[in-house]
Amino acid sequence: MSSEIFFGEGEGRRPLLVRRVAHARRMRLAIDPRTGDVRLTLPRRASERSGRAWAEQYRGWIEAQLAKLPRPQRIEPGAAIPFRGEDVVVDWSPAHSRIVRLEGDRLHVGGPAEAVAKRVVAWLRREALKQLDSETRAIAVEAGVTVGRVAIGDPRTRWGSCSANGDIRYSWRLILAPPFVLSSTVAHEVAHRLHMDHSPAFRAAERRLYGRDPKPARDWLRAHGAGLYWLG
């Protein structure tokens, strides 16, 4: 086994993650913009030692890509965090209630200071589920379809998914984005209750349910979506 290789510095220091893919025809390097993971994909019979040496040749490129990534955004007293596309300030005080409460652009948080991040994320997840469930069921009525369970998670590869039985699952981080982005994602998933594909008929249904062209929302996620994963 070859020695471990790291890229970046400080909190951004990342190990080279190696994986083999049976159908891969060549070695490939990629940096996950949502996590900062540096991944080396190897064909089934390729030498791992050779692959690591090959990755080392691209150290300059890898370091440059890591430098472009968003910085981790801590959830702590005084921090500004996104909520529905706008910044709100985490206003912590031991005198505040332990029930998180938003007033204007201040998010009041009480309890122990070391629990602030946990409380804020729990509040964001509750707000996300409430908004996503409400919009999903409203648009489903408009579409004339039924939906099953609406749930949230923290997936790394998609913003939403719709199963054949009508259950819909979203990333809770959509509540951090502007409302038009969240609504577009909901329309996309509900449209899958009409067409379980991405055919022209699906696209037409998606646009009808959203009420406008969903491209600006997709463009926003392409440009800014990865940054939402750096909160917390």
Side-chain angles (χ1 to χ4, degrees), residues 96-196:
H96 289 330
S97 168
R98 291 184 177 229
I99 298 174
V100 179
R101 187 178 73 261
L102 180 65
E103 291 187 359
D105 64 353
R106 312 292 292 186
L107 191 63
H108 298 292
V109 187
E114 59 271 18
V116 166
K118 182 178 179 180
R119 289 181 186 277
V120 170
V121 170
W123 179 81
L124 288 168
R125 290 176 68 100
R126 288 193 299 271
E127 290 295 312
L129 181 56
K130 182 169 62 176
Q131 186 70 31
L132 288 162
D133 184 83
S134 174
E135 290 202 26
T136 297
R137 298 192 185 283
I139 293 181
V141 169
E142 182 181 341
V145 298
T146 59
V147 295
R149 180 170 178 258
V150 176
I152 57 169
D154 198 14
R156 295 290 175 176
T157 58
R158 59 179 64 185
W159 296 103
S161 61
C162 179
S163 66
N165 68 1
D167 289 347
I168 298 180
R169 189 173 182 84
Y170 298 99
S171 167
W172 70 264
R173 295 176 188 271
L174 285 167
I175 200 66
L176 309 177
F180 78 92
V181 175
L182 182 148
S183 297
S184 173
T185 306
V186 170
H188 182 100
E189 298 308 327
V190 174
H192 276 310
R193 295 293 291 136
L194 295 167
H195 307 280
M196 288 297 284

Side-chain angles (χ1 to χ4, degrees), residues 5-215:
I5 297 176
F6 289 87
F7 300 93
E9 298 179 352
E11 292 185 357
R13 193 164 184 257
R14 307 283 177 176
L16 179 68
L17 304 178
V18 181
R19 65 169 187 165
R20 292 188 181 277
V21 177
H23 61 268
R25 296 186 177 182
R26 58 186 177 84
M27 293 186 288
R28 185 168 65 88
L29 276 171
I31 291 135
D32 189 330
R34 302 185 184 197
T35 63
D37 287 346
V38 182
R39 298 193 179 107
L40 170 64
T41 299
L42 296 177
R44 184 165 59 90
R45 296 181 180 277
S47 161
E48 182 173 334
R49 185 180 298 274
S50 297
R52 289 178 179 273
W54 178 75
E56 186 65 58
Q57 295 176 21
Y58 289 89
R59 176 172 288 276
W61 176 81
I62 293 170
E63 300 280 2
Q65 298 308 305
L66 289 176
K68 295 177 183 177
L69 293 175
R71 293 187 177 277
Q73 190 173 4
R74 297 183 183 279
I75 300 175
E76 57 190 3
I81 65 171
F83 177 67
R84 294 178 176 164
E86 302 289 342
D87 281 347
V88 298
V89 176
V90 178
D91 184 350
W92 171 81
S93 168
H96 289 330
S97 168
R98 291 184 177 229
I99 298 174
V100 179
R101 187 178 73 261
L102 180 65
E103 291 187 359
D105 64 353
R106 312 292 292 186
L107 191 63
H108 298 292
V109 187
E114 59 271 18
V116 166
K118 182 178 179 180
R119 289 181 186 277
V120 170
V121 170
W123 179 81
L124 288 168
R125 290 176 68 100
R126 288 193 299 271
E127 290 295 312
L129 181 56
K130 182 169 62 176
Q131 186 70 31
L132 288 162
D133 184 83
S134 174
E135 290 202 26
T136 297
R137 298 192 185 283
I139 293 181
V141 169
E142 182 181 341
V145 298
T146 59
V147 295
R149 180 170 178 258
V150 176
I152 57 169
D154 198 14
R156 295 290 175 176
T157 58
R158 59 179 64 185
W159 296 103
S161 61
C162 179
S163 66
N165 68 1
D167 289 347
I168 298 180
R169 189 173 182 84
Y170 298 99
S171 167
W172 70 264
R173 295 176 188 271
L174 285 167
I175 200 66
L176 309 177
F180 78 92
V181 175
L182 182 148
S183 297
S184 173
T185 306
V186 170
H188 182 100
E189 298 308 327
V190 174
H192 276 310
R193 295 293 291 136
L194 295 167
H195 307 280
M196 288 297 284
D197 53 33
H198 289 98
S199 63
F202 165 82
R203 294 299 180 189
E206 176 188 26
R207 180 168 186 146
R208 175 173 58 82
L209 294 175
Y210 183 44
R212 49 184 157 160
D213 184 359
K215 185 178 182 300

